[in-house]
Amino acid sequence: MTEPASGEAIAVLDSIRHHVDERLIEVATRMEREVPGRLGEALAYALRSPGKRVRPALLVAAYRACGGSHPGIIGLAASVEIVHTYSLVHDDLPSMDNDALRRGRPTTHVAFDVPTATRVGYLLVPVAAEELVRAARVMGLDHGTIGALARRLFEAGGIRGMVGGQWLDLEAEGKQLDLPGLTTVHQGKTGALIAAAVMIGALAAGAPAATLEALEEFGSEIGLAFQVADDVLDATGSSRVLGKTAGKDAEVAKSTYVGLLGVEQARQEALRHCRLALEALERAGVEPGGLAPLARYIVTRSS
Ligand code: GRG
């Protein structure tokens, strides 16, 4: 994962990140106004933290690949990023990964305290729901579509997705999972929200069934590719470049793709999932647009 990302991927990411960050700052400013004291400050701290915004970029690129062009899509992308932000705040808590560094800054519970960070996580879930509905209305989407978007996001964030995957991951600490077991954990923990981002973009654009099916496969493969690449970066990157504590997986004896396959084969596994993702689009005749450079970025990034 040492190749620099292509200029095309950086351009797609930068332009979407710029708009999503603007929206997240608006939401953060509203939180500071509406939620008094340290809790409002902590909500704003989490919302303003500078992530790569990969999930929003995939969502917007999928929307555009399916013919969508409404600027309100940025709000839907922000709603997915808010769910991701909540997951990072809770993942870093002492009861889970117990980490002090995230996105190059002190984690929310270190900058504030554990009860405040716990509340920040819970409160971000309804904030994400509100943002999703607000954006969908601005885009003029009908009730059925709004319901489908909400269902997709919160199923991915729940027990059949991210929470379920995290649960299995915590239970597996100190044990050695095999490849199918590890894949199940990561399909839930990381893959479900990434796949949901892609599908929310496609559903918002009103994509036909065959395109939705191809994007479902793309999202599922690229979600796994993302996690395999993440394992490689944890094993090979530095905390300074990653913005989070490197080498954490080995420290807590976590089952990872690197542990099972070694660094080089794990890199190949990430590339294989990336290829499968792009082939799914090609088979269905879906022009990938920004999805292709983003898919390659996901497996060649350095942070
Ligand atoms: C109650 C069991 C239970 C769970 C709560 C905390 C949680 C839900 C889930 C954890 C999900 C999680 C943090 C998965 C890791 C996904 C991952 C690889 C995150 C890093 O994503 P990047 O690289 O980060 O996109 P940035 O900082 O760029 O946004």
Side-chain angles (χ1 to χ4, degrees), residues 57-276:
L58 285 168
L59 187 153
V60 175
Y63 177 69
R64 291 182 185 151
C66 294
S69 60
H70 198 292
I73 192 66
I74 294 299
L76 291 185
S79 76
V80 175
E81 185 67 15
I82 294 169
V83 171
H84 171 59
T85 301
Y86 126 68
S87 81
L88 299 181
V89 172
H90 275 194
D91 190 50
D92 291 331
L93 286 171
S95 56
M96 296 207 203
D97 271 8
N98 192 20
D99 226 314
L101 182 70
R102 173 69 72 178
R103 294 170 163 176
R105 312 187 319 167
T107 47
T108 308
H109 70 273
V110 169
F112 293 83
D113 52 64
V114 170
T116 304
T118 306
R119 286 180 201 121
V120 164
Y122 292 140
L123 283 170
L124 285 176
V125 179
V127 172
E130 229 180 291
E131 180 63 10
L132 178 133
V133 173
R134 184 203 64 80
R137 287 203 177 126
V138 167
M139 294 173 76
L141 299 177
D142 59 57
H143 285 107
T145 306
I146 298 177
L149 300 180
R151 185 174 177 165
R152 188 67 205 224
L153 178 57
F154 294 106
E155 274 190 5
I159 196 72
R160 285 189 293 279
M162 193 173 77
V163 167
Q166 174 81 342
W167 189 298
L168 292 175
D169 199 28
L170 291 169
E171 287 217 311
E173 269 180 21
K175 297 182 200 149
Q176 187 56 60
L177 293 175
D178 59 10
L179 202 54
L182 191 60
T183 304
T184 302
V185 168
H186 291 308
Q187 271 166 340
K189 181 180 157 179
T190 306
L193 193 61
I194 290 181
V198 171
M199 291 306 286
I200 288 170
L203 289 165
T211 304
L212 289 176
E213 209 179 298
L215 281 164
E216 190 76 70
E217 199 178 334
F218 173 88
S220 150
E221 293 295 344
I222 212 59
L224 275 177
F226 187 95
Q227 182 59 51
V228 185
D230 207 70
D231 283 3
V232 172
L233 287 170
D234 182 80
T236 60
S238 69
S239 301
R240 190 186 54 79
V241 174
L242 296 178
K244 59 183 180 183
T245 314
K248 204 69 208 276
D249 294 340
E251 194 187 304
V252 297
K254 220 175 218 182
S255 290
T256 65
Y257 290 94
V258 169
L260 277 179
L261 306 172
V263 168
E264 206 34 58
Q265 232 188 301
R267 280 198 175 113
Q268 294 308 318
E269 184 63 3
L271 290 169
R272 187 178 74 82
H273 283 297
C274 175
R275 269 196 308 276
L276 289 173

